[in-house]
Amino acid sequence: DFNLKKFSVKAEYDTIQSFILKDSVFYLMKKQKNIDLVNSNFEILQSIEADSIITNTPGNYFILCRNTKKILTNPYLLIYPNEFDNIYTSTYYNDIEYILVERNLKLGIVNQKGEIIIPLKYDNAYQYFSEYIDGILYFNLILDNKLYIINTKGKVIKKTSVNNYYLLQKKN
């Protein structure tokens, strides 16, 4: 056993990882198939059934693994209801984090609350899954060799062939 401030960590934990989000320290403490999320006051915020801690991302969430599925979670919103096969990258726009995720070989976008913004139906993402045009964020997703440019509300703004989009990019 060892003490961290007023909190005693029992030897029953397999691993303990610390991380910082929004200038606050949090701890992920793994014990068998359970991970406790603990705040800087050493209060358990949530216990999550999961096999492993995959990563602490640069965003406001971290990724856990449960039965080969990946789980997004964070200390502020608790566990997200959706499980994903892969969680790729994220971008911020107007204080909202948008995350590119995959389930059953299909891609989509969720926000930092785990809400699906763009349905998981796309085959691939363009080289840069997001871009700013005139100061507005758009996502570039591919379905049936067509490129869909989609806004942050999930509305398709433009649909074109992937080859045409490459040509448009080369001109600029």
Side-chain angles (χ1 to χ4, degrees), residues 121-139:
K121 67 177 189 178
Y122 294 90
D123 301 321
N124 208 335
Y126 183 66
Q127 178 181 5
Y128 302 103
F129 95 98
S130 65
E131 66 179 321
Y132 291 91
I133 302 171
D134 297 328
I136 299 172
L137 180 66
Y138 294 95
F139 303 102

Side-chain angles (χ1 to χ4, degrees), residues 145-164:
N145 208 32
K146 298 279 186 211
L147 176 72
Y148 291 79
I149 300 172
I150 306 166
N151 70 14
T152 56
K153 303 286 186 214
K155 181 179 178 191
V156 174
I157 303 302
K158 184 176 182 180
K159 180 173 107 176
T160 185
S161 76
V162 173
N163 291 336
N164 286 344

Side-chain angles (χ1 to χ4, degrees), residues 80-82 84 98-99 109-118:
Y80 295 142
N82 296 299
F84 304 103
Y98 296 93
I99 307 157
I109 307 287
V110 298
N111 65 16
Q112 80 268 18
K113 294 178 183 174
E115 299 166 333
I116 295 175
I117 302 300
I118 298 174

Side-chain angles (χ1 to χ4, degrees), residues 15-96:
T15 60
I16 300 172
Q17 291 184 13
S18 64
F19 61 98
I20 298 173
L21 291 178
K22 296 185 179 180
D23 298 325
S24 295
V25 176
F26 294 92
Y27 302 92
L28 290 172
M29 300 166 52
K30 183 181 182 311
K31 177 176 50 177
Q32 298 173 352
K33 297 266 184 185
N34 196 61
I35 296 173
D36 291 334
L37 175 61
V38 178
N39 67 15
S40 59
N41 294 324
F42 302 102
E43 301 165 324
I44 295 175
L45 300 176
Q46 61 178 310
S47 289
I48 305 163
E49 182 185 332
D51 303 315
S52 62
I53 302 164
I54 296 176
T55 187
N56 171 23
T57 69
N60 290 321
Y61 59 92
F62 50 85
I63 302 170
L64 305 177
C65 187
R66 176 171 52 208
N67 300 324
T68 73
K69 297 290 186 184
K70 293 178 180 62
I71 306 164
L72 282 171
T73 189
N74 77 36
Y76 306 105
L77 301 168
L78 301 179
I79 195 163
Y80 295 142
N82 296 299
E83 292 182 346
F84 304 103
D85 298 326
N86 279 303
I87 298 169
Y88 293 105
T89 187
S90 67
T91 190
Y92 283 94
Y93 179 68
N94 289 342
D95 293 326
I96 298 174

